Amino acid sequence: MDRECVSLLPSVCEVLADSGSSLPDDTSLEKLLDWFTGLIKAGGSLLDACPCLLEFISAVVHNTASDPGVLSFTLKLTGLMAATEDGFKMLQDCSVLDLVFNLQRWREAGLWEDPCLRIGWIQGLNNLLQHPKALCFFVQSDFIEPLLQLQTDTSLFVASAANQMLAHILLFFQPVSPAGCNGVDKKEEDHGRAQNSITDTEYTAVVVAISEYLKEYLVPRENTRLHQSLQTLKLLALLLAQAGPPVQDKLLQTVAASLEELVTAGCSQLTLPLMDVILAAYSSGTDERVPDQRVSRLLSSMLNINEPSDLIHAAAAFLRRGHHDSVHTVRAVRILLLPLDIITGQTLLGTNTTADEQRFSMVQQLKRKTSCISLMCVCLTNTPQISLMPSDVLPCHRDLIVTAVLSLLSICRGVSSSTGCSEVCRNVIGSGKVQKCALEALMALSSSPGAKEKISEVYTVLIQYLDNPDSDPTVLHKSYQALIKWTSVCTDLSFITEQLRQDLVEVVKKRVCDMRWEVRDSTVEFLGHLAGVRVFLKSAEEVCDASVALLGGCCTTPLLKEALQDTESYVRASAISALAKSLTHSWQQGAALSQEETEIVNQLLEILSQDTEGFSRRAVVRYFITWFSSRPSNSSLSSSTSLLRRCVRSVLSQGSADLDWEVKVHTLELAELLLDEAFSGHRGYRNTHQAPSHPYGVVCEQTYTLHAHTGARAEGAESDLSGALNILVELGVVSALLSGLVDCDRPVGLKACRLLITLRETLCPLSLGALGAATATVARVSCELPGRGWGQEIRKILKSYGAGEASQRNFNGVDKVDSEDCDVLKEGVSAGGDGVTVGVCEVLRSLGLDERLDVLTQSSDHIHNSPLSLLQDILTASAAHTHPDTQQPGQEVIVDCY
């Protein structure tokens, strides 16, 4: 422990013991406890390092007027200090444990009614119970009964904590399984035997007490005890899921009769927690042990209960667990397909449907609208999983399930079913909830075997949904998603009819002009996603974008171009992204831009400079990033007539000056691509600087090959480097990086700093005379710093680092160029008002980039998030509370954000 912390801790303990003192904030005690916990986990002893804590505990527990929060903290701290056997013995010798955890004492003092104290008592004991002696203390103090009573405490936090603690006791001290079971090695087994030899009697007493409690309170005898039964089931499920065979067998033996009674009772509120219990016991037997016959019978009973709603939820819970056997899985599948069978009239369960005893009751349940919608959603949610099961489990062909879902979608749209139950069908007509669940199921069903045969029917139903004027925007969005999903999975579109194509074109043209912006946005997104899917036409040799195959390709770009003028910024942003996706393939082919595409580029630059919403401007920068990165590898920006070159210069200039920080970060990503193109393969690029991990950092996954330039190749390499740097300066890359370095948004400054360090490590080693006189060419490449804004800030930094004297120092162990090379830089730093021209290399060496990176990488917590700061905060707040006269009017006590 830090010496200064040790010196402050006694004063802090005095402040905490004085209940009249205020704390800096409500979490100060939890932060203090976190610090103590970390010290103990690191192997330290609180009693040895901080003897004042013992006095503090004694003072607080003897003062029944202490603040409940401080009392709760003291209980937790005591348990923490007694978590080791040495600490436990010392506290027990001082009679502290008996005093602190004396339940009767807190009740007589009237403090037990405060949930803060109760949860402190529970968590203190939980901290304590880490060794056999602690379990002996727990049992001998008769704490098991009050802990069981706290299972149904009025405070949910207290009840949850009590639940977790009971589970901790039963699981932490349970007998170690035989070698090879549950992954326990021999060393742990020997330790477990030694431990259990001490605690066997106490542990047995705990198991018996908990088992009897579970047995008694599992079945609610009256409505007022329903909550208690629910809590008991949660505890039992937790124990059965994690307990070893001996403990699990003991629990099951004790509660089996109660579980059977609970299943028979058919209490709907307890169906899901009861299934959790049964499946926890059932799943534990699937690895090496055969599931207990009692558990199998319980599971069979749950899958044959009479209440349709409970039956559906029980079957769904069974399938979610993933531990399937042939008998129960077949039963669960039939149950979950039954509502779909009834409403659509599809023979999903075969012709012998009279064998389903629950069919009549299920029909009656589905005739009630609320129940119908709920049950159908559960059924649809599990349908995709059912379709992927082995054929011997399914009662019908998989394609029939797809047909049934399509039929349900038609019924929801108001198309009557000739085979389904009409009384049930009317309950789902117009139900957005069922429609959304059905569309999600349809998306998932696209990957089931044999799904491709249904693509024409799928397209027909989805286009009808898109054309339906009553469709909700969310339903339309999911319809578009389903179209994309099926198109991407079934890439052979040769059997899509011309009529379907025409219908889709018409509906897209209609929806892109919809009154609701959400619908326009979904339509524009759909066009972009469709362009990104590659499909086959009449033969495997004819490959094209799905937008060309389905929409003819002639309407996509005009529709998106028109959407650039939409009144809603989300739609404009989506249109820009969709345009990038639709044009990517032609960019990759190196095709010349059409007149329409050139007009789009000009329109995008106008959006970047004039649009008032950040969404659209971000999308514009990403558009040019996609364009630049999609060019063929053999193309370059060397041509002065290149449209992309002119656009890049404009985007870098406007993007780096944008008010939106995300626009600026995307602009720096474009600058990074330009750096990659200019210097990839040059000495040191992307090799000497590894960006540290940071949540704001942009990690480049591209790999680079380092090429050494030596001997006769040195001058040529240097010439290439100089030319590349001149192009970067001309395009505005260097200006964008320098502007980003001094930006007020930290993510922008961090990325710019890392890129500048990369640039420095690439340029400076070659420009320091290491390769001869030719290096002066790179050293003399210059850029302009404007007299105001970011240029002025850069010049301030250069002054603070003494750019004039910088030439006399060494950088990375290599001598710099002569001081005469820095004349322009010195003049630029000292000049004011108008812009000045400075040497790029010398600026990179003189900005203190490494120090700046350290500052940008560190969060504000590196100073304030410390135990010392926390202790100082507590003392400062106490002083302000104790001596309010010394505080000036309106002055606040500022505490650190620990």
Side-chain angles (χ1 to χ4, degrees), residues 735-782:
S735 296
L737 297 181
L738 293 174
S739 170
L741 182 68
V742 295
D743 194 87
C744 60
D745 290 301
R746 183 172 163 223
V748 180
L750 182 62
K751 185 163 185 65
C753 188
R754 286 177 173 163
L755 292 176
L756 283 168
I757 289 175
T758 299
L759 186 60
R760 184 196 67 192
E761 299 300 321
T762 304
L763 299 175
C764 293
L766 292 179
S767 62
L768 300 180
L771 295 179
T775 58
T777 308
V778 174
R780 289 195 177 94
V781 175
S782 60

Short mmCIF file of all heavy atoms in Angstrom, two decimals, residues 735-782:
data_model
loop_
_atom_site.label_atom_id
_atom_site.label_comp_id
_atom_site.label_asym_id
_atom_site.label_seq_id
_atom_site.Cartn_x
_atom_site.Cartn_y
_atom_site.Cartn_z
N SER A 735 -1.80 19.34 -44.27
CA SER A 735 -2.61 20.37 -43.61
C SER A 735 -3.74 19.75 -42.79
O SER A 735 -4.03 20.19 -41.67
CB SER A 735 -3.19 21.32 -44.65
OG SER A 735 -2.17 22.02 -45.33
N ALA A 736 -4.38 18.70 -43.34
CA ALA A 736 -5.46 18.03 -42.62
C ALA A 736 -4.94 17.38 -41.33
O ALA A 736 -5.59 17.42 -40.29
CB ALA A 736 -6.12 16.98 -43.52
N LEU A 737 -3.74 16.79 -41.39
CA LEU A 737 -3.17 16.15 -40.21
C LEU A 737 -2.79 17.18 -39.15
O LEU A 737 -3.05 16.98 -37.95
CB LEU A 737 -1.94 15.32 -40.60
CG LEU A 737 -2.19 14.14 -41.55
CD1 LEU A 737 -0.89 13.38 -41.82
CD2 LEU A 737 -3.24 13.19 -40.99
N LEU A 738 -2.18 18.27 -39.57
CA LEU A 738 -1.79 19.31 -38.61
C LEU A 738 -3.03 19.97 -38.00
O LEU A 738 -3.05 20.29 -36.81
CB LEU A 738 -0.92 20.36 -39.31
CG LEU A 738 0.47 19.88 -39.76
CD1 LEU A 738 1.18 20.96 -40.56
CD2 LEU A 738 1.31 19.46 -38.56
N SER A 739 -4.05 20.17 -38.82
CA SER A 739 -5.30 20.73 -38.31
C SER A 739 -5.93 19.80 -37.28
O SER A 739 -6.40 20.24 -36.23
CB SER A 739 -6.27 20.95 -39.48
OG SER A 739 -7.55 21.28 -39.01
N GLY A 740 -5.93 18.50 -37.57
CA GLY A 740 -6.50 17.53 -36.64
C GLY A 740 -5.73 17.43 -35.34
O GLY A 740 -6.30 17.16 -34.28
N LEU A 741 -4.42 17.66 -35.39
CA LEU A 741 -3.59 17.54 -34.20
C LEU A 741 -4.03 18.50 -33.09
O LEU A 741 -3.98 18.14 -31.90
CB LEU A 741 -2.12 17.80 -34.57
CG LEU A 741 -1.12 17.66 -33.42
CD1 LEU A 741 -1.01 16.20 -32.98
CD2 LEU A 741 0.25 18.18 -33.84
N VAL A 742 -4.46 19.69 -33.47
CA VAL A 742 -4.84 20.69 -32.47
C VAL A 742 -6.35 20.80 -32.35
O VAL A 742 -6.86 21.79 -31.81
CB VAL A 742 -4.22 22.07 -32.83
CG1 VAL A 742 -2.72 22.02 -32.75
CG2 VAL A 742 -4.65 22.51 -34.24
N ASP A 743 -7.07 19.81 -32.85
CA ASP A 743 -8.53 19.86 -32.78
C ASP A 743 -8.99 19.70 -31.34
O ASP A 743 -8.35 19.01 -30.52
CB ASP A 743 -9.13 18.75 -33.65
CG ASP A 743 -10.60 18.93 -33.89
OD1 ASP A 743 -10.95 19.64 -34.86
OD2 ASP A 743 -11.41 18.40 -33.10
N CYS A 744 -10.12 20.29 -31.02
CA CYS A 744 -10.63 20.23 -29.65
C CYS A 744 -11.24 18.89 -29.31
O CYS A 744 -11.44 18.57 -28.14
CB CYS A 744 -11.65 21.34 -29.43
SG CYS A 744 -13.08 21.25 -30.55
N ASP A 745 -11.56 18.07 -30.31
CA ASP A 745 -12.11 16.73 -30.07
C ASP A 745 -10.99 15.71 -29.96
O ASP A 745 -10.21 15.54 -30.90
CB ASP A 745 -13.08 16.34 -31.18
CG ASP A 745 -14.36 17.15 -31.14
OD1 ASP A 745 -15.05 17.10 -30.10
OD2 ASP A 745 -14.66 17.84 -32.13
N ARG A 746 -10.95 15.03 -28.83
CA ARG A 746 -9.84 14.12 -28.56
C ARG A 746 -9.68 12.99 -29.58
O ARG A 746 -8.55 12.67 -29.98
CB ARG A 746 -10.04 13.54 -27.15
CG ARG A 746 -8.93 12.63 -26.70
CD ARG A 746 -9.14 12.29 -25.24
NE ARG A 746 -8.36 11.14 -24.85
CZ ARG A 746 -8.81 10.15 -24.11
NH1 ARG A 746 -10.04 10.18 -23.67
NH2 ARG A 746 -8.04 9.16 -23.78
N PRO A 747 -10.76 12.32 -30.03
CA PRO A 747 -10.57 11.27 -31.04
C PRO A 747 -9.89 11.78 -32.31
O PRO A 747 -9.10 11.06 -32.92
CB PRO A 747 -12.00 10.79 -31.34
CG PRO A 747 -12.79 11.19 -30.14
CD PRO A 747 -12.18 12.45 -29.63
N VAL A 748 -10.20 13.03 -32.68
CA VAL A 748 -9.59 13.61 -33.88
C VAL A 748 -8.10 13.85 -33.63
O VAL A 748 -7.25 13.48 -34.45
CB VAL A 748 -10.29 14.94 -34.25
CG1 VAL A 748 -9.65 15.56 -35.50
CG2 VAL A 748 -11.78 14.72 -34.47
N GLY A 749 -7.79 14.47 -32.50
CA GLY A 749 -6.39 14.75 -32.18
C GLY A 749 -5.56 13.49 -32.05
O GLY A 749 -4.40 13.45 -32.49
N LEU A 750 -6.15 12.45 -31.47
CA LEU A 750 -5.43 11.19 -31.28
C LEU A 750 -5.08 10.55 -32.62
O LEU A 750 -3.94 10.13 -32.84
CB LEU A 750 -6.28 10.25 -30.43
CG LEU A 750 -5.67 8.89 -30.09
CD1 LEU A 750 -4.40 9.05 -29.27
CD2 LEU A 750 -6.67 8.02 -29.35
N LYS A 751 -6.06 10.49 -33.52
CA LYS A 751 -5.79 9.86 -34.83
C LYS A 751 -4.80 10.68 -35.63
O LYS A 751 -3.89 10.11 -36.27
CB LYS A 751 -7.10 9.70 -35.61
CG LYS A 751 -6.90 8.94 -36.92
CD LYS A 751 -8.18 8.43 -37.49
CE LYS A 751 -7.93 7.58 -38.73
NZ LYS A 751 -7.19 6.35 -38.44
N ALA A 752 -4.94 12.01 -35.61
CA ALA A 752 -4.02 12.86 -36.34
C ALA A 752 -2.60 12.72 -35.80
O ALA A 752 -1.63 12.66 -36.58
CB ALA A 752 -4.47 14.31 -36.26
N CYS A 753 -2.48 12.64 -34.49
CA CYS A 753 -1.14 12.50 -33.88
C CYS A 753 -0.47 11.20 -34.30
O CYS A 753 0.72 11.17 -34.63
CB CYS A 753 -1.28 12.57 -32.36
SG CYS A 753 0.30 12.65 -31.49
N ARG A 754 -1.21 10.12 -34.32
CA ARG A 754 -0.65 8.83 -34.72
C ARG A 754 -0.22 8.85 -36.19
O ARG A 754 0.83 8.29 -36.54
CB ARG A 754 -1.67 7.72 -34.47
CG ARG A 754 -1.83 7.40 -32.99
CD ARG A 754 -2.89 6.37 -32.74
NE ARG A 754 -2.91 5.97 -31.34
CZ ARG A 754 -3.90 5.34 -30.75
NH1 ARG A 754 -4.98 5.03 -31.44
NH2 ARG A 754 -3.84 5.02 -29.47
N LEU A 755 -1.03 9.46 -37.02
CA LEU A 755 -0.67 9.52 -38.44
C LEU A 755 0.54 10.42 -38.67
O LEU A 755 1.40 10.12 -39.51
CB LEU A 755 -1.86 10.03 -39.26
CG LEU A 755 -3.06 9.08 -39.34
CD1 LEU A 755 -4.21 9.73 -40.10
CD2 LEU A 755 -2.66 7.76 -40.00
N LEU A 756 0.65 11.49 -37.90
CA LEU A 756 1.82 12.37 -38.03
C LEU A 756 3.09 11.66 -37.56
O LEU A 756 4.16 11.85 -38.14
CB LEU A 756 1.60 13.65 -37.22
CG LEU A 756 0.66 14.69 -37.86
CD1 LEU A 756 0.29 15.77 -36.86
CD2 LEU A 756 1.31 15.31 -39.10
N ILE A 757 2.98 10.87 -36.52
CA ILE A 757 4.14 10.10 -36.07
C ILE A 757 4.55 9.10 -37.14
O ILE A 757 5.75 8.90 -37.43
CB ILE A 757 3.83 9.38 -34.73
CG1 ILE A 757 3.74 10.41 -33.59
CG2 ILE A 757 4.89 8.34 -34.41
CD1 ILE A 757 3.32 9.82 -32.26
N THR A 758 3.56 8.46 -37.77
CA THR A 758 3.86 7.55 -38.89
C THR A 758 4.58 8.29 -40.01
O THR A 758 5.57 7.80 -40.57
CB THR A 758 2.56 6.94 -39.42
OG1 THR A 758 1.93 6.19 -38.39
CG2 THR A 758 2.83 6.02 -40.60
N LEU A 759 4.09 9.48 -40.33
CA LEU A 759 4.71 10.29 -41.38
C LEU A 759 6.12 10.70 -40.98
O LEU A 759 7.06 10.65 -41.80
CB LEU A 759 3.85 11.53 -41.64
CG LEU A 759 4.26 12.43 -42.81
CD1 LEU A 759 4.24 11.66 -44.12
CD2 LEU A 759 3.34 13.65 -42.89
N ARG A 760 6.31 11.09 -39.73
CA ARG A 760 7.64 11.48 -39.26
C ARG A 760 8.63 10.33 -39.32
O ARG A 760 9.76 10.49 -39.77
CB ARG A 760 7.54 11.99 -37.80
CG ARG A 760 8.83 12.51 -37.23
CD ARG A 760 8.74 12.61 -35.71
NE ARG A 760 8.63 11.29 -35.10
CZ ARG A 760 8.30 11.09 -33.83
NH1 ARG A 760 8.00 12.11 -33.04
NH2 ARG A 760 8.25 9.86 -33.33
N GLU A 761 8.19 9.15 -38.89
CA GLU A 761 9.09 8.00 -38.89
C GLU A 761 9.43 7.54 -40.31
O GLU A 761 10.45 6.90 -40.53
CB GLU A 761 8.46 6.83 -38.11
CG GLU A 761 8.17 7.14 -36.66
CD GLU A 761 9.42 7.50 -35.90
OE1 GLU A 761 10.47 6.88 -36.16
OE2 GLU A 761 9.38 8.41 -35.05
N THR A 762 8.56 7.88 -41.25
CA THR A 762 8.84 7.53 -42.64
C THR A 762 9.80 8.52 -43.28
O THR A 762 10.71 8.13 -44.02
CB THR A 762 7.52 7.51 -43.45
OG1 THR A 762 6.60 6.61 -42.82
CG2 THR A 762 7.77 7.05 -44.88
N LEU A 763 9.63 9.81 -42.99
CA LEU A 763 10.40 10.86 -43.66
C LEU A 763 11.70 11.19 -42.97
O LEU A 763 12.74 11.31 -43.62
CB LEU A 763 9.55 12.14 -43.76
CG LEU A 763 8.25 12.05 -44.55
CD1 LEU A 763 7.50 13.37 -44.43
CD2 LEU A 763 8.53 11.74 -46.01
N CYS A 764 11.67 11.36 -41.69
CA CYS A 764 12.82 11.95 -40.98
C CYS A 764 14.09 11.11 -41.02
O CYS A 764 15.17 11.66 -41.21
CB CYS A 764 12.44 12.28 -39.54
SG CYS A 764 11.22 13.61 -39.47
N PRO A 765 14.05 9.80 -40.84
CA PRO A 765 15.30 9.04 -40.91
C PRO A 765 16.02 9.21 -42.24
O PRO A 765 17.24 9.23 -42.31
CB PRO A 765 14.86 7.59 -40.70
CG PRO A 765 13.59 7.70 -39.93
CD PRO A 765 12.93 8.94 -40.44
N LEU A 766 15.25 9.35 -43.34
CA LEU A 766 15.86 9.51 -44.65
C LEU A 766 16.32 10.94 -44.90
O LEU A 766 17.11 11.19 -45.81
CB LEU A 766 14.87 9.10 -45.74
CG LEU A 766 14.51 7.61 -45.80
CD1 LEU A 766 13.50 7.38 -46.89
CD2 LEU A 766 15.76 6.77 -46.04
N SER A 767 15.84 11.86 -44.12
CA SER A 767 16.16 13.26 -44.39
C SER A 767 17.19 13.82 -43.43
O SER A 767 17.36 15.02 -43.32
CB SER A 767 14.88 14.10 -44.31
OG SER A 767 14.35 14.02 -43.00
N LEU A 768 17.88 12.93 -42.71
CA LEU A 768 18.85 13.41 -41.72
C LEU A 768 20.28 13.17 -42.16
O LEU A 768 21.19 13.08 -41.36
CB LEU A 768 18.59 12.71 -40.39
CG LEU A 768 17.18 12.95 -39.81
CD1 LEU A 768 17.04 12.23 -38.49
CD2 LEU A 768 16.92 14.43 -39.65
N GLY A 769 20.50 13.00 -43.44
CA GLY A 769 21.86 12.83 -43.95
C GLY A 769 22.30 11.40 -44.00
O GLY A 769 23.43 11.11 -44.37
N ALA A 770 21.42 10.48 -43.60
CA ALA A 770 21.83 9.08 -43.56
C ALA A 770 22.10 8.52 -44.94
O ALA A 770 22.86 7.59 -45.10
CB ALA A 770 20.73 8.25 -42.88
N LEU A 771 21.49 9.10 -45.97
CA LEU A 771 21.67 8.58 -47.32
C LEU A 771 22.37 9.57 -48.24
O LEU A 771 22.26 9.49 -49.45
CB LEU A 771 20.31 8.20 -47.90
CG LEU A 771 19.58 7.05 -47.20
CD1 LEU A 771 18.24 6.81 -47.87
CD2 LEU A 771 20.41 5.79 -47.19
N GLY A 772 23.01 10.57 -47.68
CA GLY A 772 23.79 11.48 -48.52
C GLY A 772 23.07 12.77 -48.82
O GLY A 772 22.03 13.10 -48.27
N ALA A 773 23.63 13.52 -49.79
CA ALA A 773 23.15 14.86 -50.09
C ALA A 773 21.76 14.86 -50.68
O ALA A 773 21.03 15.85 -50.58
CB ALA A 773 24.12 15.54 -51.05
N ALA A 774 21.36 13.77 -51.30
CA ALA A 774 20.05 13.74 -51.95
C ALA A 774 18.90 13.88 -50.96
O ALA A 774 17.79 14.24 -51.34
CB ALA A 774 19.88 12.44 -52.74
N THR A 775 19.19 13.61 -49.68
CA THR A 775 18.12 13.69 -48.68
C THR A 775 17.64 15.11 -48.47
O THR A 775 16.55 15.32 -47.94
CB THR A 775 18.63 13.14 -47.33
OG1 THR A 775 19.78 13.90 -46.94
CG2 THR A 775 18.99 11.68 -47.44
N ALA A 776 18.44 16.08 -48.88
CA ALA A 776 18.02 17.47 -48.72
C ALA A 776 16.76 17.76 -49.51
O ALA A 776 16.01 18.69 -49.18
CB ALA A 776 19.15 18.40 -49.16
N THR A 777 16.51 17.00 -50.54
CA THR A 777 15.29 17.20 -51.35
C THR A 777 14.05 17.01 -50.49
O THR A 777 13.11 17.82 -50.53
CB THR A 777 15.26 16.21 -52.53
OG1 THR A 777 16.49 16.27 -53.23
CG2 THR A 777 14.11 16.51 -53.47
N VAL A 778 14.04 15.94 -49.70
CA VAL A 778 12.90 15.68 -48.82
C VAL A 778 12.84 16.74 -47.73
O VAL A 778 11.77 17.24 -47.38
CB VAL A 778 13.00 14.27 -48.20
CG1 VAL A 778 11.90 14.06 -47.18
CG2 VAL A 778 12.93 13.22 -49.29
N ALA A 779 14.01 17.12 -47.19
CA ALA A 779 14.04 18.08 -46.09
C ALA A 779 13.48 19.44 -46.51
O ALA A 779 12.99 20.19 -45.66
CB ALA A 779 15.46 18.24 -45.57
N ARG A 780 13.58 19.77 -47.80
CA ARG A 780 13.14 21.09 -48.26
C ARG A 780 11.67 21.13 -48.71
O ARG A 780 11.18 22.18 -49.08
CB ARG A 780 14.03 21.56 -49.41
CG ARG A 780 15.44 21.93 -48.96
CD ARG A 780 16.18 22.73 -50.02
NE ARG A 780 17.49 23.12 -49.56
CZ ARG A 780 18.62 22.47 -49.77
NH1 ARG A 780 18.57 21.35 -50.48
NH2 ARG A 780 19.77 22.90 -49.31
N VAL A 781 10.99 19.97 -48.68
CA VAL A 781 9.57 19.99 -49.01
C VAL A 781 8.84 20.77 -47.92
O VAL A 781 9.01 20.51 -46.73
CB VAL A 781 9.00 18.56 -49.11
CG1 VAL A 781 7.48 18.60 -49.34
CG2 VAL A 781 9.69 17.81 -50.24
N SER A 782 8.03 21.72 -48.32
CA SER A 782 7.40 22.61 -47.35
C SER A 782 5.88 22.63 -47.52
O SER A 782 5.33 22.17 -48.52
CB SER A 782 7.95 24.02 -47.50
OG SER A 782 7.68 24.51 -48.81
#
